[in-house]
Amino acid sequence: MRTSTRVLSVTALWVGSFGALRISLLAPEGCPDVTPAALEASAVAAGAWIERGQGDDGRYVYEYHRDDDRVVSAGYNIVRHAGVTMSLYQLARAGHPEVVGTADKALAMMLDNVVPAGDGIAFVDSDTSARLGASALMAAALAQRRDATGDDRYDEDLRALGRFLVGQITTGGQMLNLYDLRTAAPSPGQTSRYSTGEAAWALAQLHNFFPDEGWDVPARHVLDYLATSRDEVEALDFAPWPDQWAAYTLAELAPWGLDDHHVRYAEALSERFGMLVRYESQKDGWPLPFIDPRARGAGLGVWVEGLGALARAADSDDRLADVRTALDDRMVCGASLLAERQPDRREAAAWDAPTLVEGAWFRYDVTRMDDQQHALSGLLAAAGELGPVGP
Amino acid sequence: MRSLLALFSAVNPFAVAVALWPRERRTLMAAAAAVACACAIGSAAVSRPVLDGLDVTPGTFRVAAAVVLGIAGARWLIVGAPSVAAEGPSAGAGRVAVPLLFPVLVTPQLAIVSMSTGADHGVAVVAGGAAASLAIAWLAAVVSKRHPVGWTAGVRLAAALAVAVALALAVDGVKTV
């Protein structure tokens, strides 16, 4: 090969390699500059969307398609209803008590739909079965409400929900997802990748409010299962499954002391959430968003929630000190992306129903109420507003 | 240790020896190795500003370095190291440039591995690792060699090491918070 040809081929190799990397693996990680106040304002806007969509029966707008101005209520999910209500109480905890009225209206709907189940009560939408997640997130909502308001009027309901959750635990800390109301017994064989963590978090919050009642035993039992064997037993690929509810549980129990396997699990979750946010932050430029669309508000919100909870756990446990700064960096990056992608009033005005667009996160012109729930919670975590509950 | 192995496999002294078969002049090879080492150290020294300028975190950059190193390793495994000894001038500074520096010693994989290692572990690690690897490459290029079989086997052994190190770097990069 002639020298000039060699120089040209080497130049082409270098330029081509860099170019290929720049539009793929080395795409810029865009993390807009944002202040904690702006993050909180974004969370407030999400809360306002939830409030505007609430009906007289306490339910929220479930799903909205802005391209054809269509509200979808079919398949209204009570687990998500409880989760959205929980996030409103988190907003109240963060210094926005004006949303308590809306959340209490949604809570009233839940209280109207509890039935005796196991040793306690369960929140249901069926005569035949009770889902673990609905009761777990209702309990979480009551715990966040108690912390936000100091009002203890629902403590017995909280304990009764907790007793139902405990009854769903099997040997090894696994939790059954369904309770059969006809046979008055847990339904064997069915688990949920979401509900186990939700229940663990609810039990951990119960422990923080009532530390002398032994709620830490079931909470730690389930957390042990999540940390050591859940991914394998339930065949979840690419362990650890990015479970922000487990992260919340770690944060709740960290002040009481974590075991070594909990710390290893927290580190693994940190890596998983961190990777997800780093990749998401690369989707602002061509061509990544066209190959892999941006995450839903719920997806990105969940990752930021997880990072925020793990950051709180790291505040309480020196063994996580090595990842503390990185957790903050990734959490704020993810939250800044959420704030940037949220339509404001001006953008919303271009659509048929601006009040159902402003403050919500859309993908393919569709938003669902849990997009706002998880984004709201993540934004509050990144603004430094959330932490373990307790007296 | 992994950083040193990454630098060693990015240089691949066996591939250097085969590319410059049968042997290269000591002084020219020494000059080229010194310049290549300076390039590696320079890449490490500017790694942080470069990463900041590109808006990427060290973990993300580590994954990119792993891919480049892995591709180079796979290429060595599949096609070996083609000889370029006949290319360029036969002596002088021109030969240091082509073929010694380009395409043999200063390669995309050495540059990006040096930059990634510099960002993660600092310039001193890169200086030590690159100097040692390039010293071995110098020795491999200048010694008398007769039978290529052992050397081509060495190319593939170092290539397999490159692929293994690349996998480890990729996993580590992906798992970085």
Side-chain angles (χ1 to χ4, degrees), chain A residues 4 31 47 81 86 128 185 189 191 194 196 203 215 261 302 315 338 350 354:
Chain A
S4 57
C31 303
H81 176 91
M86 181 280 296
T128 57
T191 58
Y194 306 104
T196 305
L203 292 167
W215 296 102
H261 59 274
V302 158
D315 287 340
L338 281 170

Side-chain angles (χ1 to χ4, degrees), chain A residues 57-316:
Chain A
D57 59 357
R59 293 179 174 221
Y60 309 104
V61 164
Y62 185 60
E63 185 176 294
Y64 177 65
H65 297 237
R66 67 180 174 185
D67 52 348
D68 55 358
D69 188 24
R70 181 162 52 96
V71 172
V72 175
S73 300
Y76 193 89
N77 184 312
I78 62 166
V79 182
R80 295 195 177 108
H81 176 91
V84 170
T85 307
M86 181 280 296
S87 72
L88 285 180
Y89 285 129
Q90 285 181 322
L91 189 55
R93 276 182 74 194
H96 297 276
E98 66 274 12
V99 299
V100 168
T102 302
D104 278 352
K105 199 167 160 184
L107 175 62
M109 176 276 211
M110 291 194 274
L111 291 166
D112 285 344
N113 288 280
V114 294
V115 296
D119 290 334
I121 57 173
F123 170 38
V124 299
D125 61 353
S126 149
D127 294 333
T128 57
S129 65
R131 279 183 283 173
L132 178 67
S135 298
L137 287 181
M138 180 178 174
L142 287 175
Q144 295 294 317
R145 183 187 188 282
R146 195 183 195 278
D147 202 274
T149 64
D151 179 1
D152 61 3
R153 81 175 85 166
Y154 297 117
D155 281 0
E156 283 315 306
D157 296 292
L158 181 53
R159 288 189 177 96
L161 287 163
R163 289 195 299 276
F164 166 70
L165 301 179
V166 170
Q168 296 297 106
I169 302 174
T170 68
T171 53
Q174 190 178 42
M175 299 201 73
L176 296 172
N177 188 41
L178 294 177
Y179 179 89
D180 191 325
L181 296 170
R182 294 163 302 185
T183 61
S187 304
Q190 268 201 48
T191 58
S192 157
R193 66 179 64 189
Y194 306 104
S195 300
T196 305
E198 291 162 353
W201 182 40
L203 292 167
Q205 290 177 91
L206 271 157
H207 174 59
N208 283 349
F209 280 124
F210 315 117
D212 300 327
E213 298 180 11
W215 296 102
D216 57 327
V217 175
R220 294 184 84 92
H221 191 35
V222 179
L223 180 60
D224 287 346
Y225 170 71
L226 292 171
T228 60
S229 53
R230 186 269 297 268
D231 294 312
E232 190 177 343
V233 170
E234 300 185 19
L236 301 178
D237 292 333
F238 308 115
W241 188 70
D243 189 343
Q244 95 280 18
W245 305 115
Y248 274 125
T249 310
L250 287 161
E252 217 73 43
L253 294 178
W256 302 92
L258 298 175
D259 296 331
D260 286 342
H261 59 274
H262 299 145
V263 173
R264 285 195 296 275
Y265 183 47
E267 289 168 341
L269 284 173
S270 302
E271 293 164 357
R272 187 71 190 269
F273 287 126
M275 182 268 286
L276 289 164
V277 169
R278 273 193 294 135
Y279 178 52
E280 186 65 25
S281 71
Q282 291 183 303
K283 292 183 183 173
D284 274 358
W286 186 88
L288 285 185
F290 302 97
I291 298 167
D292 185 18
R294 291 174 177 174
R296 288 181 50 203
L300 182 52
V302 158
W303 305 334
V304 179
E305 280 184 277
L307 289 163
L310 292 165
R312 295 287 86 75
D315 287 340
S316 302

